[in-house]
Amino acid sequence: MENTQIKKIPNVSSSPHFRSKLTTHGEMLDVIIAMIPITLWGAYHFGLRSLAVVAITVAASVLFEYLYEKAMHLPITINDLSAVVTGMILALNMPPQIPFWVPVIGAAFSIIVVKQLYGGLGQNFMNPALAGRCFLHISFAGLMTDFSCAKIGYDALTSATPLAQIENGTFDGTLLDLFLGNHAGTIGEVSVLCLLIGIVYMLYKNVITIQIPASYLITFAVFEFIAGGFNPTFVLMQLMSGGILFGACFMANDYVTSPVTHKGQILYGIFLGIMTGVIRTFAPSAEGVSYSILLGNLLVPIFERYTIPTAFGKGGSKK
């Protein structure tokens, strides 16, 4: 009987070769859960009207996505919750007393102009919620920078934001006030404690990685330490005021508009930290997070181009 040798042929199949249980719906749901603490604090601190702002903005974002996809005969994607996340981020960047029609316009710009016209989720070249906020800030500057808000239990929240007071040298609050969120500001940026709860949750769920927020915040802290005359208290006030924490963890980490390479993410974070510091220190505006991230979004292809790892077996040194 002739001996035969059976050759083992490897099973070659098309991608994906690695499968994961992660879904867009699940990832977006985790981001929504992470934003619940700051949303609830905004409702407690500023009153229930802030919840109405969030609800209307989210509803408008979902509605505009549905109407556009229906009109263009595209698959309906509202179940992936990405429009909900866009609406929440946009709303949490709003003053609590903003007229309801303003965030509706912002939702239309974010969803239709920035997201859908470029192909929908995964195709937009900048963060839709941030683009919508900047569009509103340019179009309705007075309404977007009016932080006067009365609430039962407080005399009145009519002062400028702590960041503006710090820039003017008139800040009379404490670091504890900044940490807890007992001051004026947008709905989602005031409470550092609630922001940290959301950040820890997203890190635990692997929704975000540490590279971008860490490089962003460390670079910004070093910049402000130098610009502030080597004063650590000034650095802490800068880190705990304005939208720096919200932006570093909820907006700069957007999957579509941030680098995919580790080195690119670090360079991206360093760029954001420097730009935010430059705008806060030298520009007339006390803030700078939104414009820094949008500018960084535009430069992401460059960060990725020069940080792509060398493919295995290619470009090795020849002996």
Side-chain angles (χ1 to χ4, degrees):
M1 187 175 185
E2 185 179 355
N3 293 330
T4 60
Q5 185 178 5
I6 301 176
K7 295 183 179 180
K8 294 183 179 180
I9 301 175
N11 182 20
V12 179
S13 61
S14 62
S15 61
H17 302 292
F18 296 94
R19 299 184 182 275
S20 172
K21 294 181 180 179
L22 294 177
T23 62
T24 301
H25 179 278
E27 296 283 291
M28 295 298 106
L29 181 60
D30 282 334
V31 176
I32 292 170
I33 293 173
M35 288 190 285
I36 288 177
I38 53 179
T39 303
L40 293 179
W41 177 261
Y44 168 76
H45 185 55
F46 297 115
L48 292 179
R49 192 181 189 283
S50 63
L51 277 184
V53 173
V54 175
I56 290 172
T57 312
V58 169
S61 298
V62 174
L63 178 61
F64 285 127
E65 181 154 303
Y66 174 82
L67 292 177
Y68 180 89
E69 291 174 340
K70 194 73 172 177
M72 297 293 107
H73 305 289
L74 298 171
I76 305 301
T77 61
I78 59 175
N79 289 332
D80 65 15
L81 299 181
S82 62
V84 176
V85 170
T86 296
M88 285 191 71
I89 293 177
L90 178 62
L92 294 174
N93 276 282
M94 297 284 165
Q97 79 294 337
I98 195 80
F100 293 140
W101 56 268
V102 175
V104 171
I105 293 176
F109 184 86
S110 299
I111 296 297
I112 297 177
V113 177
V114 182
K115 182 181 179 182
Q116 291 298 336
L117 289 181
Y118 284 89
L121 182 64
Q123 304 298 321
N124 47 282
F125 67 99
M126 63 174 60
N127 186 293
L130 267 182
R133 182 193 183 277
C134 291
F135 170 75
L136 294 178
H137 194 274
I138 295 171
S139 303
F140 311 105
L143 295 175
M144 290 293 291
T145 55
D146 179 12
F147 296 100
S148 60
C149 177
K151 180 188 180 299
I152 298 174
Y154 294 85
D155 294 334
L157 297 174
T158 57
S159 62
T161 63
L163 185 58
Q165 293 176 337
I166 292 170
E167 294 296 319
N168 296 328
T170 59
F171 180 68
D172 57 357
T174 65
L175 292 177
L176 182 61
D177 290 330
L178 293 175
F179 183 75
L180 296 178
N182 293 321
H183 54 80
T186 65
I187 297 171
E189 75 177 15
V190 291
S191 176
V192 173
L193 174 61
C194 292
L195 285 167
L196 290 177
I197 293 173
I199 293 167
V200 170
Y201 175 81
M202 289 194 296
L203 288 171
Y204 171 75
K205 298 290 287 187
N206 292 320
V207 176
I208 63 173
T209 58
I210 196 65
Q211 286 92 339
I212 293 176
S215 57
Y216 186 177
L217 296 174
I218 291 173
T219 302
F220 175 76
V222 171
F223 187 100
E224 291 299 328
F225 184 68
I226 298 173
F230 307 98
N231 184 348
T233 302
F234 177 78
V235 175
L236 288 175
M237 289 192 297
Q238 286 284 344
L239 285 171
M240 292 196 291
S241 59
I244 181 74
L245 284 177
F246 188 84
C249 297
F250 287 96
M251 296 183 286
N253 279 284
D254 179 38
Y255 294 143
V256 181
T257 58
S258 62
V260 296
T261 63
H262 290 301
K263 291 181 180 179
Q265 291 172 351
I266 294 173
L267 290 176
Y268 175 67
I270 292 173
F271 173 82
L272 297 183
I274 293 174
M275 286 304 304
T276 304
V278 168
I279 294 175
R280 283 194 178 187
T281 303
F282 301 107
S285 174
E287 193 49 272
V289 173
S290 297
Y291 293 104
S292 297
I293 296 177
L294 287 184
L295 184 57
N297 292 164
L298 299 179
L299 298 178
V300 163
I302 297 177
F303 294 131
E304 291 184 336
R305 177 181 179 183
Y306 291 102
T307 58
I308 295 177
T310 303
F312 180 75
K314 180 181 179 181
S317 60
K318 296 182 179 180
K319 294 183 181 180

